[in-house]
Amino acid sequence: MPIPMSSRQIADDLSDRIRAGEYPAGTRLPTLRELADLYSVSVSTIQRAQELVKDRGLVVGAAGRGVYVVDR
C-alpha cells in the first residue's frame, strides 16, 4: 500500500498543476472532499495543502464559494 502524500507534497502538486495551466486563472478548485478523494487523504490534509498554496499567492478563498486560482 503506497504512503499517502503529505500536505506539502499535495501543495507542490497543486501548485505545479496551476502553473501548468491545468487550473487556469479564475477557475474554482475542486472541493475539499473531491481533492481528498483524488489524493486519497483526509480533508484536513487538503485544508493544510490549500493554505500552503494560498500562502504562495496562487489561489484565494471566497467564503462559502470555494477556492479560486488568481490571475497572475
Side-chain angles (χ1 to χ4, degrees):
M1 176 177 224
I3 298 171
M5 296 173 77
S6 70
S7 57
R8 184 166 307 280
Q9 290 170 315
I10 293 168
D12 290 345
D13 186 60
L14 282 172
S15 297
D16 290 344
R17 289 175 184 232
I18 290 167
R19 290 185 186 110
E22 186 173 333
Y23 298 114
T27 300
R28 184 178 153 279
L29 290 183
T31 66
L32 293 173
R33 179 80 260 153
E34 290 168 339
L35 288 171
D37 289 345
L38 175 68
Y39 289 101
S40 300
V41 296
S42 68
V43 169
S44 62
T45 299
I46 295 298
Q47 287 173 318
R48 287 191 301 273
Q50 276 190 351
E51 284 303 315
L52 291 170
V53 178
K54 283 180 191 175
D55 291 345
R56 296 173 186 178
L58 297 174
V59 297
V60 294
R65 295 181 47 212
V67 176
Y68 292 83
V69 178
V70 297
D71 188 6
R72 297 174 53 83

